């Protein structure tokens, strides 16, 4: 779990803010592909796509949300690799 004041989280938050979003911080537990990476000391965040019926045969996401998420991930990669 990271503090909202962690430099990595602050950097991600700045990217969100620049794109006009308001970051929300939440802590949850569970199984994620990110867990082994976090265990190895690699900073990770999980992003929500605001989809419906996650992990079911009826799972869905809007094209608009998918496009927004793709744009956000691209900006995060570009922003984080400049440092």
């Amino acid at each position: 779990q990271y503090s909202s004041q962690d430099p990595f989280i602050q950097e991600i938050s700045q990217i969100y803010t620049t794109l006009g979003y308001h970051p929300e911080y939440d802590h949850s537990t569970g199984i994620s592909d990110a867990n082994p990476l976090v265990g190895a000391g690699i900073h990770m965040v999980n992003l929500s796509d605001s989809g419906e019926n996650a992990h079911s045969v009826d799972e869905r996401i809007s094209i608009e949300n998918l496009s927004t998420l793709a744009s956000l991930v691209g900006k995060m990669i570009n922003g984080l690799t400049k440092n």
Side-chain angles (χ1 to χ4, degrees), residues 11-24 64 68 71-72 75-76:
E11 202 167 353
I12 297 287
S13 296
Q14 181 60 40
I15 293 168
Y16 263 77
T17 303
T18 300
L19 293 172
Y21 298 102
H22 304 287
E24 295 181 19
E64 181 180 351
T68 299
S71 175
L72 176 61
K75 299 255 188 228
M76 289 171 61

Side-chain angles (χ1 to χ4, degrees), residues 11-70:
E11 202 167 353
I12 297 287
S13 296
Q14 181 60 40
I15 293 168
Y16 263 77
T17 303
T18 300
L19 293 172
Y21 298 102
H22 304 287
E24 295 181 19
Y25 306 99
D26 190 19
H27 174 258
S28 64
T29 59
I31 297 171
S32 168
D33 293 337
N35 289 349
L37 299 171
V38 171
I42 299 170
H43 280 83
M44 301 293 298
V45 293
N46 283 326
L47 305 174
S48 172
D49 57 21
S50 301
E52 299 175 8
N53 305 314
H55 310 298
S56 76
V57 296
D58 295 319
E59 183 171 4
R60 67 183 89 199
I61 179 174
S62 72
I63 297 298
E64 181 180 351
N65 286 356
L66 184 60
S67 177
T68 299
L69 186 60

